[in-house]
Amino acid sequence: MMSTKHGSDHLEKTSNEERTSNEEERTNPEYSEAEVIELNDMSPTVKRLLLKVNDQSFIFKAGQWVDFIIPNIETFTGFSMSSSPDQLQSSFIELAVQFSDYPPTLWVHKECQIGNKVSLRVGGTQIIYDPQPSDPHYNVLLIAGGIGINPLLSMIRHANSLKRAQTHWFSPVRFQLLYSASTRKELIFQDDISEIVNNFPSVFQSTLFVTQEDVSSDNKYTQGRIQDSHLASAVQEFGSENLECYICGPPPMIEDMESSLLKLNMKPENVHYEKWW
């Protein structure tokens, strides 16, 4: 999830979203302290943070985000987690933050150091992937634009954990990721995605799109934007009745993708996204 332009916007645009607290109690949500233990560049515009959360009551579901509170900085924003919920067994969460001149993101890129502490509070209800044994089986189409890969990668990693654990009720599920960015370097996490796809090719598929760099000689990538034909192929393969779609990216992209999917007979309730930044 990208950051908002104003601190008040984040609260206003997410005012209807639940914030979680201890063991998913929905009343009087609390913040949890986290410490930065790793900090590195993922691309020319994206920093990766690995945070250690010592609060045992801190939990989240794949696709959710956190309110990100920095000491002595009045404004704050929300960042989607790219890590899987099972990483919390080791008390870790991962964030990828794209550069902007907004104070919280500027702090991440210019001032943040290993050992710094921040406060976190989980929120988000619109793009959650939390399958249960009693749920009907469905396939998943993920559409990511740029830094919008964060919550969708969390979903992929969660599904990968279920597959690696040989969860019997998860077996029929298949995932397809369509991921677009301006350049190859901005396709963050592409190595992580490729590893998952290569380990379980019958479950996970991915197509990487590059829009502002010539990649015509590299068959690892597809030149240009995600087109209606790519969506139609995925819907035809999976069937619109047995497909849930999650979209995260710039608002115009979300609107275009949603419109195209509805024209392909996707049910509106099966197309999920958040558009608050």
Side-chain angles (χ1 to χ4, degrees):
M1 191 68 60
M2 296 180 185
S3 60
T4 56
K5 292 182 179 179
H6 305 285
S8 60
D9 283 352
H10 175 65
L11 289 176
E12 291 170 3
K13 293 181 179 180
T14 63
S15 61
N16 294 326
E17 295 283 355
E18 295 177 339
R19 262 73 171 180
T20 61
S21 62
N22 297 349
E23 297 301 320
E24 295 194 293
E25 293 174 5
R26 303 301 183 179
T27 58
N28 194 26
E30 299 175 357
Y31 289 94
S32 299
E33 186 180 77
E35 181 179 352
V36 178
I37 61 170
E38 290 183 15
L39 176 67
N40 59 276
D41 293 326
M42 295 201 72
S43 80
T45 68
V46 177
K47 288 273 190 185
R48 170 184 172 271
L49 296 176
L50 188 67
L51 303 168
K52 186 174 180 61
V53 186
N54 291 318
D55 183 354
Q56 295 299 312
S57 68
F58 182 90
I59 56 174
F60 72 94
K61 296 176 181 178
Q64 289 191 292
W65 41 264
V66 288
D67 294 327
F68 190 85
I69 314 298
I70 305 162
N72 302 317
I73 294 183
E74 182 177 353
T75 55
F76 69 96
T77 190
F79 296 126
S80 292
M81 288 159 284
S82 55
S83 48
S84 171
D86 66 278
Q87 282 187 259
L88 276 177
Q89 295 175 8
S90 301
S91 302
F92 297 135
I93 68 165
E94 180 184 58
L95 306 174
V97 179
Q98 190 169 49
F99 178 80
S100 78
D101 59 2
Y102 184 59
T105 55
L106 195 62
W107 178 86
V108 169
H109 279 259
K110 298 295 186 180
E111 299 182 41
C112 181
Q113 298 179 4
I114 292 174
N116 285 159
K117 294 182 179 179
V118 297
S119 297
L120 307 175
R121 182 174 61 175
V122 176
T125 59
Q126 301 301 311
I127 51 172
I128 290 177
Y129 181 69
D130 185 34
Q132 301 297 318
S134 59
D135 291 346
H137 293 303
Y138 58 88
N139 297 310
V140 179
L141 174 62
L142 304 173
I143 304 172
I147 199 65
I149 189 61
N150 275 318
L152 307 189
L153 180 62
S154 178
M155 296 179 184
I156 292 172
R157 284 171 162 168
H158 183 44
N160 182 56
S161 295
L162 293 173
K163 182 64 179 177
R164 293 180 67 88
Q166 298 181 333
T167 309
H168 68 279
W169 52 265
F170 180 75
S171 297
V173 177
R174 289 190 296 156
F175 277 69
Q176 183 168 158
L177 169 68
L178 306 178
Y179 177 19
S180 172
S182 58
T183 67
R184 283 174 283 194
K185 289 183 178 180
E186 294 299 337
L187 286 164
I188 60 172
F189 295 116
Q190 59 178 294
D191 290 341
D192 301 71
I193 294 165
S194 295
E195 181 179 358
I196 292 172
V197 170
N198 291 335
N199 286 340
F200 297 111
S202 64
V203 177
F204 300 100
Q205 306 169 32
S206 68
T207 306
L208 306 179
F209 297 82
V210 176
T211 62
Q212 297 179 26
E213 177 186 3
D214 184 5
V215 293
S216 56
S217 61
D218 191 339
N219 60 14
K220 182 179 178 181
Y221 306 97
T222 297
Q223 187 75 59
R225 301 181 184 276
I226 300 169
Q227 302 292 332
D228 288 353
S229 58
H230 301 117
L231 302 179
S233 178
V235 172
Q236 182 178 13
E237 179 180 353
F238 289 149
S240 61
E241 297 297 318
N242 190 38
L243 181 62
E244 298 283 336
C245 180
Y246 299 86
I247 314 170
C248 191
M253 175 189 177
I254 292 175
E255 293 169 2
D256 289 345
M257 295 295 103
E258 180 190 25
S259 176
S260 296
L261 288 166
L262 295 180
K263 290 176 183 177
L264 293 168
N265 298 318
M266 285 285 296
K267 297 178 180 179
E269 61 268 27
N270 292 347
V271 180
H272 312 278
Y273 57 85
E274 282 181 313
K275 193 167 58 176
W276 49 259
W277 61 90

